Amino acid sequence: THLIEEYDDAFEDDENAAELAAAIVETFEDRIDYGYPGWETTQSTEQQITKLVFDVVIKEFDRADLISGSFEDDIRTYLISNYV
């Protein structure tokens, strides 16, 4: 929800933003092993999150325009802080 509000101007409507956010979270939960201590600090986790963000945002939603500035870092920070 925080990300939807922060990047609201990049979307035509809230539904598109919510769909993208849900897809990112679902992909994160499917791909990232966050069940062990310290998972959030490994280089492998950081790389996997970057890849999943690109896969969802660019490949699934065709929104390469969103991958600029701090968007990817904001998503990674959001995911990590909500799953630690």
Side-chain angles (χ1 to χ4, degrees):
T1 309
H2 169 71
L3 285 175
I4 293 171
E5 293 169 2
E6 190 168 331
Y7 290 95
D8 191 41
D9 294 341
F11 296 93
E12 293 177 22
D13 59 48
D14 289 342
E15 185 174 315
N16 290 337
E19 283 180 32
L20 177 62
I24 290 170
V25 168
E26 181 178 324
T27 305
F28 174 86
E29 290 176 348
D30 288 345
R31 292 190 193 176
I32 305 299
D33 179 7
Y34 53 90
Y36 63 93
W39 68 270
E40 72 280 3
T41 60
T42 68
Q43 185 176 6
S44 173
T45 297
E46 184 175 321
Q47 291 170 344
Q48 290 174 330
I49 292 173
T50 297
K51 182 173 179 357
L52 81 84
V53 169
F54 286 4
D55 286 350
V56 172
V57 174
I58 297 171
K59 292 180 181 176
E60 288 183 37
F61 283 83
D62 195 27
R63 291 298 308 264
D65 59 297
L66 294 175
I67 305 296
S68 63
S70 64
F71 184 77
E72 189 259 327
D73 286 336
D74 291 344
I75 291 174
R76 184 176 43 252
T77 301
Y78 175 83
L79 291 169
I80 288 172
S81 66
N82 282 284
Y83 283 86
V84 169

